[in-house]
Amino acid sequence: MPANQNKKLEKKRKIIESAYQIVKSKNIYNTAVDDIVKSAGIARGTFYLYFKDKSDLIEQLIFLKSSESMKVLLKKFEERMSDSDDIFELSREFIGLFIDFLIEQKEALAVLTKNISSCLRDFPRFYDDEVENIYSGIIQRFVQLGLSEDDINKKIYLAVDMVGSVCSDAILFGKPYGINEIRRPLTDAAIAILMSGTALTSGGSDE
């Protein structure tokens, strides 16, 4: 990558990171462009060289942070995949890791709330080769059960979107249920989505 282009990417990333630090403690929609440029140490005009407006920045911020979160999750999950061939149990492991990750990242949920699945909408922008290989391995486990790649991609998107949304409300607000109350039925619901259309209809257990 040319040095000039790399410098521009670093500047853009700095602006996004500055905005992220602000919106973690403030409502994302109450954060002004002036707050962001001041934190990033740039001129207001520089901001508009990289983003059309605040909404554009917010969209890219959410995508970036969602992508980073999903990469961490998939890499954690890779270790579990090597220990088991049981796709039902692996799916429970995945949902469990996802919920644990969201609990650990409570601060970030102010940004990621209900948007954690955004990175699954556009794979090429978010996958590096390592993560793509992990995800492809997960997909192939389901393909072996008779599902098409398109089917399982849709199911994973729906399950992740549902879990992310429900967990955000439970972790941030404890409404209408706290995370401990909702964890088991939420996991079961996500598993039901992932397993629909396969021969597996029961099994595994949630701790």
Side-chain angles (χ1 to χ4, degrees):
M1 180 183 294
N4 187 50
Q5 185 177 354
N6 189 54
K7 186 175 181 180
K8 287 182 178 179
L9 288 175
E10 288 179 2
K11 175 73 76 173
K12 185 175 185 178
R13 180 61 179 262
K14 181 181 178 181
I15 297 171
I16 290 176
E17 289 295 337
S18 295
Y20 178 58
Q21 293 306 314
I22 294 172
V23 301
K24 281 200 302 183
S25 58
K26 294 177 63 175
N27 184 299
I28 193 168
Y29 297 105
N30 289 338
T31 300
V33 170
D34 286 343
D35 296 329
I36 297 167
V37 298
K38 182 178 180 180
S39 176
I42 61 171
R44 188 180 177 90
T46 302
F47 175 90
Y48 291 104
L49 292 176
Y50 296 93
F51 306 97
K52 295 177 183 178
D53 50 30
K54 189 181 75 170
S55 294
D56 183 32
L57 168 64
I58 291 172
E59 181 180 350
Q60 293 192 48
L61 186 158
I62 289 172
F63 181 86
L64 176 64
K65 291 304 176 181
S66 296
S67 299
E68 289 177 348
S69 298
M70 191 57 67
K71 284 182 180 182
V72 170
L73 180 65
L74 287 173
K75 287 178 180 179
K76 284 185 177 181
F77 185 61
E78 182 182 30
E79 301 173 7
R80 311 295 181 94
M81 287 179 63
S82 62
D83 295 331
S84 176
D85 292 324
D86 185 339
I87 192 60
F88 191 97
E89 186 60 34
L90 284 171
S91 295
R92 282 194 169 275
E93 290 276 1
F94 181 86
I95 298 301
L97 283 172
F98 186 26
I99 294 174
D100 288 341
F101 182 80
L102 293 177
I103 293 171
E104 292 167 5
Q105 299 296 318
K106 183 175 180 178
E107 273 193 343
L109 288 181
V111 178
L112 301 178
T113 296
K114 305 183 190 305
N115 292 288
I116 192 72
S117 62
S118 63
C119 56
L120 297 177
R121 299 171 193 163
D122 191 355
F123 297 147
R125 290 176 60 197
F126 130 73
Y127 278 156
D128 53 35
D129 289 343
E130 180 184 8
V131 176
E132 183 172 8
N133 288 335
I134 298 171
Y135 188 79
S136 294
I138 295 172
I139 294 298
Q140 290 309 309
R141 295 288 185 97
F142 283 95
V143 168
Q144 291 170 9
L145 298 175
L147 296 175
S148 69
E149 290 190 12
D150 185 56
D151 282 343
I152 190 53
N153 276 316
K154 289 176 181 175
K155 290 175 188 295
I156 290 175
Y157 171 77
L158 290 171
V160 169
D161 195 62
M162 178 185 70
V163 173
S165 178
V166 173
C167 279
S168 293
D169 288 339
I171 294 168
L172 290 175
F173 312 113
K175 297 179 180 179
Y177 303 99
I179 189 61
N180 291 330
E181 296 175 272
I182 205 68
R183 182 175 185 130
R184 177 63 179 265
L186 178 60
T187 299
D188 290 343
I191 295 301
I193 291 174
L194 294 173
M195 293 303 165
S196 61
T198 75
L200 299 176
T201 57
S202 64
S205 61
D206 195 23
E207 295 182 0

